[in-house]
Amino acid sequence: MLIARVHLARGDLDAGWRELHRAAANHPRDVDVLYYLGQVSAQLAAEQFERLVQQSPMPARGHQLLAESLEARERRSDAEREYQAALDATPDLLEALLGLARLQRIRLDCDGAKTLYARAEAVRPTFEAAYGIGACLLREQAYEAASAQFEKARARDPGSAVALVGAGSALLGLNRPGEAIVPLERAVDIEPAMDDGWYVLGRAYQLAGRREQAQRAFATVERLRAEKPR
């Protein structure tokens, strides 16, 4: 690992990666080795994606892949720029439309996100677009419209726990806790470690007057959050 750090200090990422890979083969659970290997791998991947953008006969796809790499490293502003560059080259590139819409939704630009999701739906209907529009409508407290979107998302992916939680949340917004319990219980059956699902289910139980079940649900939330690694 020390040899690798010397190479990295000199800017030789390839040599550093090779030494770190050797270290990881001998000590696969060493935290320092894994950390540096992850950092170097990300930098090497970014360089290759940039080369792909420059050399590819399909520059839009290169920008999209680079955006996904940046997003995975939580460089969201840079990822948004690359997704936009992909759309400037190919306005109907579905993956770029969905990726940029997702990032805009995360930073609470719901108007921009909904416009992009609508463009994506015009290319091809997807679970991601239906769910994304529903999530934006839920944030805007347009509960009836959000409920319709989450039902559309569930039709496209019946086993999606997040869509079930969204559907339950919309029903809570409509003051229909008894109906909300059904999709929420199914969501935590599918994803038992989903603390957000348990929390919304606890609220539904509470509003439906089922106090003991609400207490158990909230206790599950506390346990799951305590068990999460820092």
Side-chain angles (χ1 to χ4, degrees), residues 177-200:
E179 296 176 50
I181 288 170
V182 176
L184 292 169
E185 286 182 335
R186 187 175 172 206
V188 297
D189 282 341
I190 294 170
E191 294 286 348
M194 190 180 189
D195 56 337
D196 290 343
W198 281 104
Y199 176 76
V200 181

Side-chain angles (χ1 to χ4, degrees), residues 8-9 11-14 17 20 35-51 66 69-70 73 75:
L8 298 180
D12 191 344
L13 296 180
D14 287 312
W17 185 89
L20 288 167
Y35 171 79
Y36 282 107
L37 186 57
Q39 293 294 312
V40 174
S41 297
Q43 291 180 58
L44 287 169
E47 288 182 0
Q48 294 302 315
F49 281 128
E50 288 169 3
R51 288 178 60 192
L66 179 55
S69 172
L70 291 165
R73 293 152 59 195
R75 291 173 54 184

